[in-house]
Every structure is written in structure tokens, then in C-alpha cells.
Amino acid sequence: MTGQTLASPDVLALINGQPLTELPHDLYIPPEALAVYLGAFEGPLDLLLYLIRRHSLDVLDIPMARLTAQYMEYVALMRKQQLELAAEYLLMAALLIEIKSRMLLPRPVQADDAGEGSDPRAELVRRLLEYEQMKLAAENLDELPRVGRDYLAVSVWSAEVEKLLPQISADDLREAWLGLLARAGTRRHHTVGRQELSVREAMGQILNALQGDLFMEFTTLFEPELGVSHLVVKFLAMLELAREHRVEITQNQDFAPIYVRLA
Amino acid sequence: MSITRLTELKIVLETILLSSSEPLTLEQMRGVFDEDLGVDMLRRALDELRDEWQHRGLELATLADGWRFQTRQSFQRYLQRINPEKPPKYSRAVMETLAIIAYKQPVTRGDIEEIRGVTVNTQIIKTLEQRNWIKAVGHREVPGRPALYVTTAQLLSDLNLRALDELPPLAELGSLVAPNPYTAQLDLTGEE
Amino acid sequence: MSITRLTELKIVLETILLSSSEPLTLEQMRGVFDEDLGVDMLRRALDELRDEWQHRGLELATLADGWRFQTRQSFQRYLQRINPEKPPKYSRAVMETLAIIAYKQPVTRGDIEEIRGVTVNTQIIKTLEQRNWIKAVGHREVPGRPALYVTTAQLLSDLNLRALDELPPLAELGSLVAPNPYTAQLDLTGEE
């Protein structure tokens, strides 16, 4: 079966018996987002799981070549961005390459009982699954109603209890700062959100899109799939460009298509 | 106001009063409701609430700085028999105020409100002053001449520290705060 | 027991429970009364008390380390308006570490690192210890004698649980992956 399918020159690999003719295109990450993006991973196992889940690969049947290549691409990106590259990522890279090279070696036809000669991916699979299980458990744990966040324990004032003075430690002060920081962090991110939707940037995008083409239809300059806020910003940018006489907006008659071109 | 509305109002008031660690002012209580309640309505509900608790172990007390539930004197003997395994805790508001004074001293009340984003209850400053953990050391020369607070030697000794610079450093705390959940979503849109 | 006696009993229980800063055990509650109350009587009074609070903003909860009054989740929106500051949200690193300790206890730091694939920051352990959610209970007798961590009753109480087995069940390892009928044949072809 394998020989037949592989005979076709377009087939890069077989995934679960299905021929793969194209490499996935969705590995691209906008460079400016990379730092935050990688920061969202909890480590090499988390990154590997993401790659596997993102491409709907079967954990029990990891195509080592692809996975290793993608992983190395991320590691290269991290180095290029001069992110603090944790040793764990490099260690995992070494492990992936080791597994891949062992898979290239001829293997005994039958694995013996001791597991010698068994699939070199087995240990990696075990770790990935165990990590994923704990990752899900952590999410569930975080969703449980928690005192102080979802409800409060009640203790009303009483003269008796007041006599007992609460004791605090330096760590309690630290904990209090943590709460303050968490809130400050939310505010900080709001600023990032604003930059993301800068009218200036949208103006640049419109001007870019109009390069080359003489006229473009008004509606093609908008990307409704990005959401209402993007539409609003794009529209503001369009008005701004018209006000600055950098684009010309025309419509031949009522309800006819509106066209935009560089002024 | 209908009877149901008044009943609901009282349930909410009872809940916030029982769970608040500091006395609540009428203004604070009004701010809790979606609609604008008149002060008269609020007072009426509080009066009824007080009556309803008349024969129980707690009383709704009016203090200089607000309203709170507290245990009646006659029930103290029961409370004395409970030996709490752990002493009580200060509210988050108290701890955050103390943390700000400790790390940013000298600060005014305005500074603290700026950082916490909420009004500082007078009771909080009083609690900390009574504990002799903070003190006013003068005024900032701006309109209103607000008092400047610093921490005391008593606080350091209660925390078992020799000097302020032995407080846990702030720099390393950043990594423990969860990244904004929206960040991840934002970045992933670049992926789709 | 007469109706009056039961009513009085409930009033005292309500008062001590509402004013205690920690959950109270049955033993602690029994110790409050002059006469020796049977556990059955106490339980009956607590049950009735719970029913009486059924339609109010607080509930009488049974936890790992005792009974306490706590606010109902549906009232959180009112409470947030009184206290707009949010408690810290823990990072994934903190929550994953907690999950591993909760489900695999007792574990060493090395065990946690093995599962997460990254070094465990000391601050993470400190944060969990500080919250009194985990504690060290001895050492594993291997070189270095690493500390063994377990979760505390406080964690269960803070999550409104009575016992560890009320934690959300773990996803079955098998259900994390769709069974793949081709696995056996595909070892190398998928690769090259």
C-alpha cells in the first residue's frame, strides 16, 4: 500500500494513510507578535502540543520530520528575535533530533518484551499526553469557583475577634503587590490594544492596497472578518485620507459601486 | 416600591454588609445597585433590616464611618470559647494599602488611590495607624496639604526585618501575574 | 429538645459561624455550649439553619475543614462594586504546578519539572505556599532529599470542596487522542 501511494511524485508524506501533497501554510506568525506569542507557551512540551494540535496530527503517530522541522523553525525565530531562549527548548530540540535519527535506523522486525526496539517516539508521546492531561486539569482547577474571586467567606466584626490582631509577614505584602500588579497589567495591555488598531496604520494599509491598481472598489478595502472595531478604524482611515486629499472616492450614481484611487 | 423589590433590596444589602470587612457608607451601598436608589429608600430598607435582626446574635450598627453588622455583646461568651486556630486576616484593601505605603513611601492618600484605582476608606488608614505600622510625617506642599505616610520601625520588627530593603523585591513578581487572557487571542488571530 | 431551645441553638450557631474567620468544625461548635449537645442535634440545627438561608445572599457551606457562611456566586457582581480590586489571577505556570501537586501528590519539584518540561520557578512554589494551598510534608529518600509537596485542606475549602476526590476528574489519557488505525503500518512512511 505504501509503495503505491508514494509513487506519485507530488506526495510528500503519508499522514494516517492519507497522502500529503502540500506543506501547511499556517506556520506564519507576524514577527512583531512573536515575543508575546511565544511567551504564551509554558515550555517546549506546550509548544510541541500546540504544533501537533494546530495541524491535527495524531499524538500517537507523530511525523517526526515535520514536527522537528517546525519546532526548529520556532527555535530559530526565538533566536532571531533574541528572546531569552530557555535551555529546555534546546534540550527538546536535541531530543527530537535524536528520535528522528533513531527512526531512520533499521529496526528489529519484532519489538522484544523489554521494549528495546520499540517506537523511539513512545517516551515523547507519554510525556506529551501526561503534560496535556495536567494542562487540562489546571484549566479545570482554575475554573472552579474560588473563594475571594467568585465568592467571599463571611466573618463579621466582633469585639472578641478584634482582640486577636491579624499577623502578617513580608510575603503577605508581596502577595498584595501581586494583586496590584495584576490590575496594572490589565491596564497596560489596553494600551497595546489601541496601537493594534491605529488609524495611521490603517491609512498605510489602504495606501498600500491602492498601489498599482488604478481604481479599487470601496468594499474590497475592508476586512469584515476582523470585526467591527477594525471596520470602524478602516473607515476612519478612509475619511482621513479623503480629507488629506490623498485618495479620491467616486460614485457614478446612487447605489452604484464606490471606487477609490490614489489622488 | 413593591414589596418584592424591597425584599430583594434588603437581601442584597444584608449580603454586602455581612461580607464587607469595613463599615459601608450610604454612598457605597447606593453605588452597588444598577438603578439610582433614593437615600430615603435605602434608609428605610436598612431600618427594616435592623429590625429583622433584632432578636438574633448580630446587630446592624451605625458607626461614624458607616454601617456594619457586628456581634451583640451578650454573645461574646460563645465566641470566647472558640479558639480560632488562626488569627483573623486583614482585608485585601488593608494589605494593598500597607504594601503601597511600604514600597512607595512617603505617599499621600491620593497616591494610594491612584495606584489602587479606588477610594481609600478612612477605616483602613486608622487600622494601620492603630497597629502602629504607619504614621503621618508631614504634608505634601500641594493644595489641601495632604498627609504623607511612611511605615514605622514597629512594622519592620513585626515583619522580622532589619531594614526596608529586606522587603521582598518587586522585580521578580511580574512573571507570576498571568498574562492578559486577551493577549493570546489577539496574537492567534494573526495565525488564522 | 423544645422548639425554643432549637431556635436558640440556631441563633448561637448562626452568630458564631457568621463571625468566625475560619470554618468551624462540629467539635468546635459543640464546645461552645454549656451542656453536651449530641452531634445529631447539632447536625439537625445546622441543616435547618442552611434551609433558612436558602433564599438569601449567603449560604452555609460544608467544607473540608468545617462549616462556614459564604456569599453566593450570583451576588459577586454586587460585591465587586464595593471592592472593585480583583484578586490576583494566577499564571498558567502556577495553576499547572498546583494541578500536578493536587493530582499526583506527594510530588517533588523534580516530578513537577519532569511533567511540565521546564524548571519550576521558586516563586511559584512560594506563591502556592503563601496562599496555604500546598505544603511540604517530608522528603523523598533519594540523593538531595527533595521536599515532597501535598495540597492542604485550605485549598479544598477555597475551592468549595470537601475532599480531594471532588476535584474535577482527569481527562482519560486515551481520550486525548483519537485512536489511529494506521499507526502500526505507518511507522516510517509518514516520515520520509
Side-chain angles (χ1 to χ4, degrees), chain A residues 1-3 5-6 11-24 57-58 60-70 100 103-104 107 119 121, chain C residues 180 182-192:
Chain A
M1 146 203 165
T2 49
T5 330
L6 276 178
V11 174
L12 295 168
L14 283 177
I15 307 298
N16 294 347
Q18 298 303 306
L20 180 85
T21 52
E22 269 184 287
L23 283 173
L57 303 179
D58 187 339
L60 292 182
D61 183 30
I62 306 169
M64 288 309 303
R66 279 178 60 198
L67 190 67
T68 309
Q70 289 175 6
K100 180 168 149 38
M103 292 194 67
L104 292 175
R107 282 187 289 164
D119 195 322
R121 294 170 297 190
Chain C
N180 177 2
Y182 295 99
T183 310
Q185 301 148 23
L186 252 171
D187 286 336
L188 288 166
T189 48
E191 276 291 86
E192 308 313 320

Side-chain angles (χ1 to χ4, degrees), chain B residues 15-44:
Chain B
T15 308
I16 60 176
L17 282 162
L18 281 171
S19 60
S20 171
S21 44
E22 275 96 33
L24 297 178
T25 63
L26 287 176
E27 276 320 297
Q28 278 177 302
M29 290 186 260
R30 281 179 71 190
V32 156
F33 297 92
D34 297 319
E35 64 271 62
D36 190 24
L37 284 177
V39 170
D40 286 349
M41 173 58 66
L42 197 59
R43 280 190 183 280
R44 185 179 147 197

Side-chain angles (χ1 to χ4, degrees), chain A residues 16-38:
Chain A
N16 294 347
Q18 298 303 306
L20 180 85
T21 52
E22 269 184 287
L23 283 173
H25 295 295
D26 49 4
L27 255 181
Y28 176 74
I29 300 172
E32 63 274 16
L34 186 75
V36 202
Y37 185 77
L38 286 170

